[in-house]
Each structure stands twice: as C-alpha cells, then as structure tokens.
Amino acid sequence: MTAYHDLSALFINCSLKPSREPSNTEALMQVSQGVMAANGVSIETIRAADLDIAPGVHDIVVVCTPIWLGSASSECVRLIERLYANSSDKNDRGQFVYYGRVGGCLVTGNEDGAKHCAMTLLYSLQHLGYAIPPQADAGWVGEAGPGPSYADEDSGGPQNDFTQRNTTFAAWNLMHMARMLKD
C-alpha cells in the first residue's frame, strides 16, 4: 500500500471573503482535504484575502477559487501573479523553485466557467514549474444565475455525485503524483 504520510498539501482559498465569513469554495475544499488527511497528508489551509502569500515548500498546492463573471476571483489572479514573481528563483540544485511540486485546483460557482477557470489555473501552475497530474481539478457549478451556492442549504452541491467523485479523483491524483516525484 502506498504511504502518503510524509506529504504536505497547501490549499489556498481564493474566495473574496475573509476567513471569518463562510466560503462555498472552502466547503468543496474540505472534500479533497478529507481524502488527503485520511491518508496521512499534512494539510494547511490559507485564505488569500487574509494574507500576503510567499511561495512555500509544500509537495501539493491546490488553488481553490469561486467563479466571478466567468473567471477566477481577483484574489486567485493575484495569487498566480505572486507565484509568478518568484518563478525565476532556484532551489539548491539550480532548478526552478516550484520544480517537483504538484498543482491542482478546485472551482465553485453558480455560473458557467469552471472548466475555463481550471484550464487557466492549471496552465499557469505548469508554466511556473508545477507538475500537473491527469484530472487535477474539480468543480461545482449550480444552476445558472442567482441561486444557491455550493454550501447553501438545498443547493445539492455536497450531495452531487459527479462533483464528489471528481474531487476525490483529483485528490488521489495529486497525492499519487506527489508521491512519485518525492520518491
């Protein structure tokens, strides 16, 4: 059986809301975090709106964003810009600082654009040096227009089989690739 207990994952919630407010994006993050934590991965969560974020040393980075006007949140764009600012930094072997790290994303919203956001985020992460496994993203998009968000009562988000399955697959794929790269 594969062991993941020496891996760490950083989940960055790019909700526009500060951490004192509930976040639908965080509710979906908790599904992926549960899979990883149950398999011994050390989990850290930060809310981008609360912090100035410097690049870290986690094995796995999961960028999590709500959809705003069909795109990732402004906090998410700002996060990618901050990571990019450090993309020329090198590790002790002369490789890009993000080399050997694994990236993925989770997207929530009640409007179209989840796949567009995932495509943009995964491209940005691989451009910075993160390894992207197959199906490294998942999302939930409720009924278009004003309506319930992922964690709202009666939204159906937490019970949606497709979303739960893809979020679980993404968590496993991220852990598996991180394990391969670390070994």
Side-chain angles (χ1 to χ4, degrees):
M1 183 164 179
T2 305
Y4 300 103
H5 65 279
D6 61 334
L7 298 179
S8 62
L10 174 63
F11 283 76
I12 305 170
N13 184 345
C14 293
S15 171
L16 299 179
K17 302 171 188 173
S19 58
R20 67 183 175 277
E21 296 182 32
S23 162
N24 291 289
T25 302
E26 184 171 349
L28 181 58
M29 284 170 40
Q30 291 171 349
V31 176
S32 182
Q33 290 171 326
V35 172
M36 290 188 188
N39 286 280
V41 176
S42 171
I43 304 293
E44 183 179 352
T45 302
I46 58 176
R47 188 82 65 107
D50 295 341
L51 304 169
D52 286 326
I53 301 168
V57 295
H58 293 12
D59 303 295
I60 303 166
V61 172
V62 184
V63 178
C64 309
T65 185
I67 300 169
W68 288 100
L69 300 172
S71 296
S73 73
S74 57
E75 285 294 333
C76 186
V77 172
R78 197 171 96 182
L79 167 69
I80 295 298
E81 290 171 351
R82 288 185 209 161
L83 292 171
Y84 191 72
N86 294 78
S87 64
S88 63
D89 294 349
K90 305 283 191 275
N91 64 21
D92 57 354
R93 290 184 260 166
Q95 301 160 321
F96 291 117
V97 70
Y98 304 119
Y99 182 81
R101 309 281 184 235
V102 177
C105 66
L106 298 173
V107 182
T108 60
N110 59 0
E111 59 186 88
D112 205 9
K115 291 191 183 299
H116 171 76
C117 291
M119 174 183 67
T120 302
L121 288 171
L122 295 174
Y123 171 80
S124 297
L125 291 171
Q126 69 80 30
H127 186 75
L128 296 171
Y130 287 92
I132 309 298
Q135 212 234 295
D137 67 294
W140 181 84
V141 181
E143 188 173 328
S149 295
Y150 178 80
D152 291 346
E153 190 172 328
D154 299 325
S155 72
Q159 297 80 30
N160 184 280
D161 289 337
F162 181 80
T163 297
Q164 300 307 308
R165 183 183 67 235
N166 283 352
T167 303
T168 300
F169 285 167
W172 277 105
N173 290 346
L174 291 164
M175 290 188 304
H176 181 67
M177 182 168 271
R179 171 81 286 137
M180 290 188 327
L181 290 172
K182 193 163 190 164
D183 289 347

